[in-house]
Amino acid sequence: MSELPRLVIMASGRGSNYQAIHDAIEQRRLAATVCAVISDRAGAGALQLAAEQGIDTVCIEPRHFSERNDYERALMTAIDGFAPNWVVLAGFMRVLGSDFVRHYGGRMVNIHPSLLPRHRGLHTHRRVLEAGEDEHGASVHFVTPALDAGPVIAQARMPVARDDTADTLADRLLPLEHRLYPATLALFLNHRVELRDEEICIDDQTLAAPLRLGRDLDDDGRLVRPGDG
Ligand code: GRF
């Protein structure tokens, strides 16, 4: 049997996106293996979930380091010890320095709860409402040194209703994130997806716009081409 692609997941919080990736693997929608969950917070739910599921966990807290570079070097040593093919940020709430990001260039991805390039950074649900937008969503993107600004691979979209609040938007978006992330990771395994000079290539074709879940990309990471089906 060929070796499965190895994922290191990095998470600071409750870990529902990690859980969605784990479930997709268990349900054989995603042919990969999670070799570790790494966190910057000892109390992260993601660490607890992973430990219960028999996945290796590592917690490295920044408070033990006086310099950010030293902290990130310790993270890199831990990650590299698992020899991952992909580093998957799933609610990892730290801005990573450019040495770290370059070290994993083209093999580190993140999920962000907005339709990037709109609403980089925090409080995206509130900002969508403040901007009076009628559409919201989530994006999976390659990580590059500028925060939430790397090329977007795929997005899930949903309408904003008149009576939505930041909480209802967050609640409705999360299940879409749980479909989008495993589907995008499966895309990497089904096709040759590469970052070349800040452009995404899929099977050597430049991706002109992010793939849209349910339209261009199915939940198993297959490309839906016009006329298919
Ligand atoms: C998600 O909303 C994700 O988009 C953002 O952080 C949150 C993580 O949630 N980057 P969880 O820990 O995966 O439940």
Side-chain angles (χ1 to χ4, degrees):
M1 208 173 101
S2 65
E3 278 249 316
L4 292 174
R6 298 168 63 77
L7 314 180
V8 161
I9 312 272
M10 297 182 65
S12 305
R14 70 196 146 181
S16 70
N17 277 285
Y18 155 67
Q19 180 70 51
I21 293 166
H22 176 83
D23 290 348
I25 292 172
E26 293 276 296
Q27 294 159 10
R28 297 178 189 273
R29 287 182 285 121
L30 178 60
T33 182
V34 175
C35 39
V37 173
I38 297 184
S39 186
D40 59 335
R41 291 191 192 158
L47 288 178
Q48 198 179 333
L49 285 170
E52 285 165 11
Q53 291 153 354
I55 304 287
D56 279 341
T57 61
V58 177
C59 179
I60 307 180
E61 292 187 296
R63 66 191 167 95
H64 300 303
F65 298 81
S66 50
E67 299 287 333
R68 168 172 153 171
N69 277 348
D70 295 339
Y71 175 66
E72 293 191 353
R73 261 197 296 273
L75 273 183
M76 284 192 254
T77 303
I79 295 168
D80 292 348
F82 293 99
N85 301 94
W86 295 97
V87 176
V88 177
L89 305 184
F92 189 70
M93 299 304 288
R94 290 185 64 80
V95 177
L96 294 160
S98 54
D99 286 351
F100 184 97
V101 171
R102 285 201 192 92
H103 185 68
Y104 300 105
R107 57 191 182 103
M108 180 157 62
V109 289
N110 181 43
I111 187 160
H112 183 76
S114 81
L115 292 173
L116 292 172
R118 277 183 262 159
H119 311 303
R120 294 171 178 149
L122 298 174
H123 309 302
T124 57
H125 312 301
R126 192 177 76 205
R127 286 158 62 204
V128 163
L129 295 173
E130 283 166 0
E133 288 165 352
D134 56 13
E135 201 179 28
H136 188 27
S139 306
V140 175
H141 64 95
F142 278 105
V143 178
T144 55
L147 181 68
D148 299 329
V152 177
I153 307 146
Q155 292 181 322
R157 293 171 175 258
M158 65 178 207
V160 176
R162 237 177 244 271
D163 57 353
D164 264 321
T165 64
D167 286 345
T168 62
L169 284 180
D171 288 349
R172 259 199 350 277
L173 187 57
L174 200 61
L176 283 180
E177 293 189 32
H178 297 163
R179 290 172 50 204
L180 178 68
Y181 220 174
T184 308
L185 294 170
L187 173 80
F188 294 150
L189 314 178
N190 295 339
H191 297 271
R192 195 154 53 81
V193 182
E194 280 180 299
L195 186 61
R196 288 188 205 153
D197 298 331
E198 302 259 323
E199 284 198 338
I200 296 169
C201 294
I202 301 183
D203 299 335
D204 278 329
Q205 304 275 321
T206 302
L207 185 65
L211 298 168
R212 186 163 164 179
L213 186 71
R215 187 190 66 182
D216 314 309
L217 179 69
D218 74 12
D219 283 48
D220 295 328
R222 282 185 296 249
L223 291 176
V224 182
R225 307 201 193 260
D228 277 6

